Amino acid sequence: MRHLILSAAIPALLLGACAGTPNMDEYFSPMSVTGADETVVSTNDSPPPHFPRDLTPAGVAAADDHLALEQVDGAEAMAFVAEENRKSLAALTGDPRYETFRREAEAILTAEDRIPMPSFLGDGVGNFWQDAANPKGVWRRTTLDSYRTAQPRWETLLDIDALAKAEGRDWVFKGADCLAPDETRCLINLSDGGKDAVVVREFDLTTKRFVDGGFNLPEGKHRIEWLDRDTLLVATDFGPGTMTESGYPFIVKTLKRGQTLDQATEVYRGEQGDGGYGVSPAVYRDKEGVVQAVIITRPLDTFRSETWSLGHDGKAQKLNLPERVGISGVIDGRLVFSPDQAWSFDGEDYVAGSLLALPLGVLGETRPHGRIGRDDALVFQPAQRQALQGVAVLSDTLVAAVTDNVAGTLLRFQAGPSGWTAAPIAVPANLAVGLGDSSKSRGQVFVSTQGFLVPPTLSLADASAGSLTEFKAAPAKFDASTHVTEQYEATSTDGTKIPYFVTRPRDLAMDGTAPTVMLGYGGFQISLNPAYKPEMGKLWLERGGVFVQANIRGGGEFGPDWHQAALDGNRQRAFDDFAAVARDLERRGITSPRHLGIYGRSNGGVLTSVSITQHPELFNAAVIESPLIDMLRYHELPAGASWIGEYGDPRIPEEAEWIARYSAYQQLRPEVDYPRVYITTNTRDDRVHPGHARKFAARLGDQGHDHLYYEDTAGGHSNDADPVANARRWARHYVYLAQQLMD
C-alpha cells in the first residue's frame, strides 16, 4: 500500500425526542466581564438571548436567525461574505506591516532550499513541489542517490499548473497511490479548489500520461485501493442510498478495468447508519508486492469500528479485535495493531496504547493456531508518559516513533524465539521525531527531527542495521539565537498536570508584557509535538513575540487515555486545561491577558471560540480558523455527523444538554466585553462547513461586538492549494495578532 499524503464530511433536519423544556439555570453560570481597567463578575444568570429553550434539532433551528448563512453559495451568504471581507481586508491588508509580512511569508513558503519531502517510488523517490513559479505544483521523481545530493536531478511526472490551465480547472494535487512492486501505474487524486472530494485518474509513469480508457472516478470522497493491476477495491457513492448521513460510503466493491461503477461487484456492506469517515479497504503486501491481507474497516462512530478480513474467495470475516484500534500493517503473517482501549486476548491483558502483533489466523472466526502468549503478542507497552506516534511495518522489522513526555524517541523491534526485542535508534534529544514513507523491499524508512527553534532534518533509517543516515537539513529561516524553549506544567481544575512549551526571548522581562500566542487543539487523539514553524519564527518570534503550545487533554500526547479523558460529556476538561495554561503564563509573569492571544483551527476552533466565551478576561486576541462553533447543529452540516464519537450527538437530549453548556454560538452575550476576534474560513471547505464561522461572525456583529471575518474562496480545509495564497493567509493572521497584542 503506497500513499503520498500531502496535508491530517448533510442530512435534512432530524427531529429528535424531546425531554421537555430544560431548566435554563442549568446552562449558565456567572461570567467574568472585562472592562478597560478592571474585571468584574456578571451576576446575570439569565440565558443568552439566542439560547434555544428547546434543545431538540427543531428547537435549535427555530432559535437560529442565521440559517441562511449555511447555504454555501447562497445569495445572502455570499453578500455577507463580500461585505465582511471588504471590512476585514481594509483592516488587515491596509496595515503597514501587511506587505512586509506577506513578502517574508512567501519567501519562506516558496523557498528553493526547503527539504523536498520524499516518498519511495519504484526504484527511486518521488516528491510533490510547489514554489513561486509552480504554485499548484509539480509531481516529480529522482534516484535515491541523486536525492542525497545538494542539487537532485528531477524528472517531472505531472505539472499541475499546466494541467489546470489546459483543463480550465482549479486543480489541487491530493496525492498518488502507486501499485507495488514496480509502481508504474498510479491513481492520481485531484481536488477542485482544495476540497476533500477528489476525482481519480489512472496515470502511467512510463509514458507520463493519463491512461486512455484507464480507471477514472468522478468527484467524491472515495476510499480506493489497488487489488491487482486490473482491479480496484472501491468504497464510494454508488448511487442513492449508498452513503451515510455524514456523506461517506459504507459499501466496498471490486471494480475491474473497463467496468463502470454500476457494474462493480459488491464484496462488503456496512450500514447506512454507520458513523466516522466511511468504510475503508486496505491492502497489505510483502516486499515482493504479493498481497498478504485485505482488511476492511467499518466505522461505527468516529473512533469505534469493526475490522474485517477479505479472503481470496471474496468473502469477508469479522476479526476479533477491539472496537477502538489502530492498524499499522502486516509482518510475516501477523497483524500489527494498537488497541486504543484496555483489551484481553487469550487470557492476557494489554493496556491501551500498546503495540501488538498477532497471527491473522487467531483473530478470525476459526482458530488454526493455539494460544498466543504475551511474549509472542506484545511488541511494546508504553510507560505512563509515553505514547506511540507512528509505526513503520517493514519485512522483518518494526520501527516506531515514541514520545516520552512529548519528547521524541525512535525504536526498532524484531521478533525472536523468546518474543520481541527492542533497541533504540539514536536521534537528537529533546526534539520531535516523525516517520515518513517506508519501503518494505528496501527495509528503510524516512525519519524527520525538528524542534521549535531547530529546523527539520531528514534522515533515512535502515531497519536491519538500526542506523540513521542524515540526508537533508533545512536551513534556518529565522534568527533562533534570541529565543529559548522551555517546558512547564499547569494545574487544571481537577488537579491534572497539563504540560506546555514556551518559546520566548532569552532576556524576557517576566513582567507580563510579552506579546504571546498560545496554540491548542485538544481533540481526535492528535498530538501537538514540537515543530519548526518558520513563518511564525520570522513574523512573530523575531519581533519579540512568545509562542506557547499547550498539550491539553483530548490530544494524543500521552496515548488513548489522554484523548478519551476529554470525550463527549467530559469536553469541558479540554477547555479547563487551556484556561489553566493561560493562568499559569500570567502567574509566571510570561504574559498577561492584555498581551495573550490564542490560535486554533478546525477542532481548535471549538477550543478558541469556547475559550473566548467562557473566559474573555484571559485573552485579548483569538484567531479562530476553519472552525466548528455551532455545536448544537454541527451534525447537520457536512461532514459533522462523522464526529459524533468525539463530541456526542445533539439529537439525544442528555447529550444536547452538555453540548449546549459550551457551544459558543449559543453562549454569546451582548453585555460581555469580548476581545476583537478574527474568524476565518474557506468557501470550498467541505470538511468543516463555512457556516460555523459565518454565523459566529454574524452574531458577534448583531450584538455589537467588534470582530474581523475573512473567507477565502479556494484552498479547502487543508490550505494546501497555493503557497502564494498561503503567505497572504499567514500575513493576515500575524497582522491581526500584532494589532491586538503588540500595538
Side-chain angles (χ1 to χ4, degrees):
M1 182 171 60
R2 169 77 68 244
H3 291 289
L4 172 61
I5 303 299
L6 303 175
S7 328
I10 308 178
L13 188 65
L14 300 174
L15 299 180
C18 179
T21 302
N23 178 2
M24 291 296 106
D25 293 342
E26 295 178 2
Y27 300 95
F28 317 112
S29 58
M31 175 178 293
S32 298
V33 183
T34 307
D37 301 306
E38 62 180 357
T39 299
V40 298
V41 176
S42 169
T43 58
N44 182 5
D45 291 331
S46 62
H50 291 282
F51 192 91
R53 300 196 62 84
D54 175 4
L55 292 179
T56 65
V60 171
D64 191 343
D65 52 352
H66 290 299
L67 289 178
L69 298 183
E70 295 179 358
Q71 301 300 316
V72 174
D73 296 308
E76 182 177 337
M78 296 315 295
F80 171 83
V81 168
E83 178 58 17
E84 291 287 313
N85 283 1
R86 182 191 64 78
K87 293 186 294 186
S88 295
L89 288 178
L92 298 175
T93 64
D95 188 291
R97 287 165 291 207
Y98 172 78
E99 182 54 30
T100 299
F101 283 6
R102 186 206 60 77
R103 187 173 60 250
E104 291 177 348
E106 183 174 321
I108 289 170
L109 296 173
T110 62
E112 298 289 337
D113 57 1
R114 289 173 291 138
I115 294 178
M117 298 309 294
S119 62
F120 290 103
L121 184 61
D123 294 332
V125 294
N127 164 256
F128 182 69
W129 181 260
Q130 293 171 289
D131 56 27
N134 304 278
K136 290 190 173 298
V138 292
W139 187 37
R140 57 191 189 171
R141 68 180 171 188
T142 189
T143 66
L144 191 60
D145 287 340
S146 178
Y147 180 77
R148 297 182 65 169
T149 66
Q151 297 293 330
R153 299 181 62 182
W154 293 103
E155 173 193 9
T156 296
L157 299 171
L158 183 61
D159 185 328
I160 306 301
D161 293 272
L163 180 68
K165 182 178 180 181
E167 298 187 351
R169 302 290 293 274
D170 185 18
W171 288 132
V172 175
F173 187 66
K174 288 287 187 176
D177 181 2
C178 300
L179 177 62
D182 61 316
E183 297 185 326
T184 59
R185 287 293 179 96
C186 303
L187 300 174
I188 304 296
N189 298 290
L190 296 170
S191 163
D192 188 2
K195 295 181 290 187
D196 285 354
V198 296
V199 299
V200 180
R201 299 181 186 174
E202 186 178 3
F203 190 80
D204 189 337
L205 265 62
T206 59
T207 63
K208 292 184 283 188
R209 298 175 63 89
F210 290 108
V211 178
D212 290 337
F215 290 113
N216 193 328
L217 275 72
E219 183 177 82
K221 294 184 177 180
H222 314 295
R223 307 288 182 262
I224 304 177
E225 284 282 346
W226 288 100
L227 192 57
D228 57 47
R229 191 174 179 87
D230 296 310
T231 313
L232 302 179
L233 285 171
V234 178
T236 190
D237 186 349
F238 292 106
T242 66
M243 302 290 277
T244 68
E245 66 171 330
S246 305
Y248 289 110
F250 64 90
I251 299 170
V252 181
K253 297 186 179 184
T254 55
L255 180 69
K256 296 287 186 180
R257 185 174 298 280
Q259 287 183 328
T260 59
L261 283 177
D262 59 1
Q263 295 172 322
T265 301
E266 182 175 319
V267 294
Y268 181 81
R269 175 181 289 259
E271 296 181 8
Q272 193 166 22
D274 289 347
Y277 302 104
V279 66
S280 180
V283 179
Y284 297 104
R285 293 177 163 83
D286 64 13
K287 64 180 182 180
E288 307 299 332
V290 178
V291 174
Q292 298 296 290
V294 177
I295 302 296
I296 295 175
T297 300
R298 175 203 173 193
L300 304 175
D301 62 25
T302 316
F303 303 105
R304 297 183 308 111
S305 61
E306 292 178 352
T307 306
W308 295 71
S309 175
L310 187 66
H312 295 295
D313 58 1
K315 295 181 179 180
Q317 66 166 326
K318 185 179 177 183
L319 298 183
N320 179 21
L321 287 172
E323 287 186 339
R324 293 178 180 270
V325 65
I327 296 175
S328 300
V330 176
I331 184 170
D332 193 26
R334 285 175 282 190
L335 189 71
V336 180
F337 63 96
S338 179
D340 285 344
Q341 62 188 68
W343 186 60
S344 297
F345 187 80
D346 274 0
E348 298 288 349
D349 296 328
Y350 301 99
V351 303
S354 299
L355 185 63
L356 306 177
L358 287 171
L360 274 165
V362 308
L363 297 170
E365 296 168 352
T366 59
R367 286 201 51 165
H369 295 266
R371 180 183 179 276
I372 303 298
R374 185 179 184 84
D375 288 343
D376 290 328
L378 182 63
V379 180
F380 170 75
Q381 179 171 306
Q384 185 177 7
R385 302 290 274 185
Q386 289 183 322
L388 285 168
Q389 298 294 326
V391 178
V393 180
L394 305 174
S395 60
D396 59 0
T397 308
L398 304 178
V399 176
V402 177
T403 53
D404 194 333
N405 202 28
V406 205
T409 61
L410 193 63
L411 300 173
R412 67 170 178 148
F413 304 94
Q414 292 179 312
S418 57
W420 290 87
T421 58
I425 299 176
V427 293
N430 299 317
L431 295 179
V433 177
L435 299 183
D437 198 24
S438 62
S439 170
K440 275 193 171 183
S441 62
R442 305 183 197 188
Q444 296 172 326
V445 57
F446 286 107
V447 177
S448 66
T449 57
Q450 61 182 311
F452 293 109
L453 300 174
V454 180
T457 294
L458 181 72
S459 303
L460 188 65
D462 186 293
S464 297
S467 61
L468 195 67
T469 303
E470 182 178 317
F471 263 40
K472 305 267 184 192
K477 292 299 180 182
F478 62 91
D479 182 6
S481 66
T482 57
H483 280 63
V484 295
T485 296
E486 299 160 321
Q487 189 180 33
Y488 298 105
E489 285 186 340
T491 303
S492 194
T493 306
D494 61 0
T496 302
K497 299 297 183 182
I498 309 301
Y500 66 95
F501 292 97
V502 176
T503 301
R504 63 171 180 82
R506 291 179 181 274
D507 58 355
L508 181 70
M510 298 294 189
D511 59 2
T513 63
T516 302
V517 176
M518 183 166 71
L519 171 68
Y521 191 78
F524 294 89
Q525 204 170 320
I526 293 174
S527 301
L528 287 187
N529 296 317
Y532 190 75
K533 305 177 189 297
E535 69 288 333
M536 183 272 293
K538 188 68 179 177
L539 276 60
W540 191 252
L541 295 183
E542 277 196 359
R543 290 170 168 83
V546 173
F547 178 75
V548 175
Q549 188 161 289
N551 300 117
I552 63 177
R553 283 174 287 184
E557 290 86 350
F558 301 124
D561 291 345
W562 194 251
H563 166 231
Q564 292 165 28
L567 278 183
D568 297 336
N570 293 320
R571 199 75 188 176
Q572 185 60 42
R573 290 174 177 169
F575 312 138
D576 290 345
D577 293 354
F578 204 54
V581 174
R583 295 189 186 97
D584 203 58
L585 291 169
E586 183 176 10
R587 182 182 66 82
R588 295 178 188 275
I590 293 171
T591 191
S592 60
R594 166 63 183 86
H595 299 285
L596 178 58
I598 54 179
Y599 170 73
R601 65 183 305 272
S602 193
N603 173 75
V606 183
L607 175 66
T608 46
S609 62
V610 172
S611 295
I612 288 299
T613 52
Q614 290 188 353
H615 296 288
E617 79 283 2
L618 293 180
F619 313 106
N620 196 41
V623 177
I624 305 172
E625 185 171 32
S626 305
L628 286 91
I629 299 181
D630 182 356
M631 299 308 293
L632 287 175
R633 276 184 60 79
Y634 83 90
H635 63 292
E636 304 277 4
L637 304 175
S642 63
W643 309 318
I644 283 173
E646 177 79 17
Y647 302 118
D649 191 340
R651 293 167 296 190
I652 299 173
E654 177 189 1
E655 299 184 15
E657 289 180 8
W658 37 257
I659 293 171
R661 291 188 177 97
Y662 69 78
S663 182
Y665 181 56
Q666 285 80 19
Q667 290 290 348
L668 282 174
R669 294 175 177 269
E671 73 274 12
V672 176
D673 188 7
Y674 303 112
R676 182 184 73 151
V677 300
Y678 174 40
I679 311 119
T680 180
T681 191
N682 193 288
T683 308
R684 300 277 78 85
D685 189 340
D686 58 345
R687 192 182 315 174
V688 178
H689 195 285
H692 286 278
R694 294 171 177 175
K695 295 198 302 179
F696 192 63
R699 185 154 291 172
L700 284 168
D702 292 345
Q703 295 185 359
H705 301 299
D706 192 11
H707 68 282
L708 296 173
Y709 178 82
Y710 179 75
E711 182 174 316
D712 212 338
T713 57
H717 190 70
S718 300
N719 292 297
D720 57 359
D722 183 339
V724 176
N726 206 12
R728 297 193 294 267
R729 165 179 165 254
W730 283 116
R732 292 191 297 269
H733 288 9
Y734 283 106
V735 163
Y736 161 77
L737 290 167
Q739 290 174 349
Q740 292 296 113
L741 307 179
M742 289 182 171
D743 291 353

